[in-house]
Amino acid sequence: MSYAALADVQQWIDNDILIQLTDDADAGSVDTGVVATALEAASVEIDGYLGSRYALPLADPPAILGKLCVDISGYLLYIRRDAGAPEHWQARYKNAVAFLVKIASGQISLGAGDPAGVGGREAPEFVGPGRIFDRDKLKGF
């Protein structure tokens, strides 16, 4: 399941550029299969980060994942051409990955509809008796 669709990509990449990035057959149109492959690859990458924290697939993915999916898939569309991605798409990709790392570590929430996690942020708590000796009691020895 992809977190974004062709229409989402078209909001961020001009149609003429999208044709250049996807039209391997020189048909003069966007190859929707290439875009779908990039979107699926981006979604798999996103799931790689979310899988350690959330049960997948997410029942109701937050909108931010769609934006991250577009940023990653746009970068992937550019790098499939040997020329590489422009700096702003490289930055968008790096920012998306950094955001996903923060989500995976629990520093950022997926929002109000944050799905129940599989790991959670809670650390184990250790309880034991008080100290017999401490710095104050051993002072002067």
Side-chain angles (χ1 to χ4, degrees), residues 21-96:
L21 295 174
T22 63
D23 187 16
D24 297 336
D26 290 328
S29 61
V30 175
D31 186 335
T32 57
V34 171
V35 175
T37 299
L39 288 168
E40 188 60 35
S43 297
V44 167
E45 188 169 340
I46 290 169
D47 284 347
Y49 288 98
L50 299 182
S52 64
R53 185 162 171 79
Y54 300 104
L56 299 174
L58 298 176
D60 188 24
I64 188 64
L65 296 182
K67 173 67 170 70
L68 297 174
C69 187
V70 169
D71 291 347
I72 294 170
S73 64
Y75 174 78
L76 295 175
L77 288 171
Y78 272 103
I79 65 167
R80 71 181 289 273
R81 300 289 187 209
D82 291 330
E87 284 184 35
H88 67 280
W89 277 97
Q90 290 177 24
R92 289 174 70 158
Y93 175 77
K94 288 178 184 177
N95 290 338

Side-chain angles (χ1 to χ4, degrees), residues 8 10 15 19 21 28-29 46 48 54 61 63 67 72 74-75 77 85 91 96 99 117-118 124 132 135 137 140:
D8 299 318
Q10 288 173 323
N15 198 54
I19 291 170
L21 295 174
S29 61
I46 290 169
Y54 300 104
K67 173 67 170 70
I72 294 170
Y75 174 78
L77 288 171
F99 194 87
V118 293
I132 296 173
R135 290 181 193 256
K137 289 181 182 175

